[in-house]
Amino acid sequence: MKWFARGKPGDIWDEAIEGPLGDIEAAGRIRAICEAAAVSAAGSAHNDKRESERYERAAKVAMEISDGLMRDDAVHRIVNLCMKANDLKTAQILFRAIHAAWIRETVQRDHPTLAS
């Protein structure tokens, strides 16, 4: 974990990525970002400006990482993060980008408002 001068740990999404990530590494990093950003997403849903900024940075980094075979799983995790932040617009856009039928069905079951 990266530490800043004030002694507080940095956010995982602000850590530099050393070289290209393989699919499994990318999926693990996205999972870690989404888990770490869950509190900020909830704060964003309650209009906390600082937490909104943290959530948005985390979601952006997670979206930049996602590609390859595990892309749809990564997008699913990011959609969950967006929904926790009550960011329906971004979640709907990402939901439409999911290609795997079983992942789309899972997202629809978890978040029925996205299907409309």
Side-chain angles (χ1 to χ4, degrees), residues 94-115:
L94 292 172
F95 172 70
R96 289 191 295 266
I98 296 173
H99 298 287
W102 70 272
I103 293 177
R104 286 182 64 84
E105 290 168 6
T106 300
V107 173
Q108 283 178 314
R109 185 192 67 231
D110 293 347
H111 309 291
T113 57
L114 292 177

Side-chain angles (χ1 to χ4, degrees), residues 1 10-11 14 19 21 23 25 30 33 36 56 58 68 70 76 81 88 92 95-98 100 103 108 113 115:
M1 185 174 287
D11 294 315
D14 290 333
L21 297 175
D23 289 338
E25 292 169 310
I30 290 165
I33 288 170
E56 289 170 9
M70 300 201 180
H76 175 204
L81 184 65
L88 187 60
Q92 286 175 322
F95 172 70
R96 289 191 295 266
I98 296 173
I103 293 177
Q108 283 178 314
T113 57

Side-chain angles (χ1 to χ4, degrees), residues 3-4 9 12 14-15 23 26 28-29 33 45 47 56-57 62 69 74-78 82 95-97 102 105 112:
W3 289 82
F4 291 101
I12 187 170
D14 290 333
E15 294 176 5
D23 289 338
R29 180 128 176 143
I33 288 170
N47 298 318
E56 289 170 9
R57 276 196 336 268
L69 296 175
V75 173
H76 175 204
R77 292 176 187 282
I78 299 165
C82 292
F95 172 70
R96 289 191 295 266
W102 70 272
E105 290 168 6

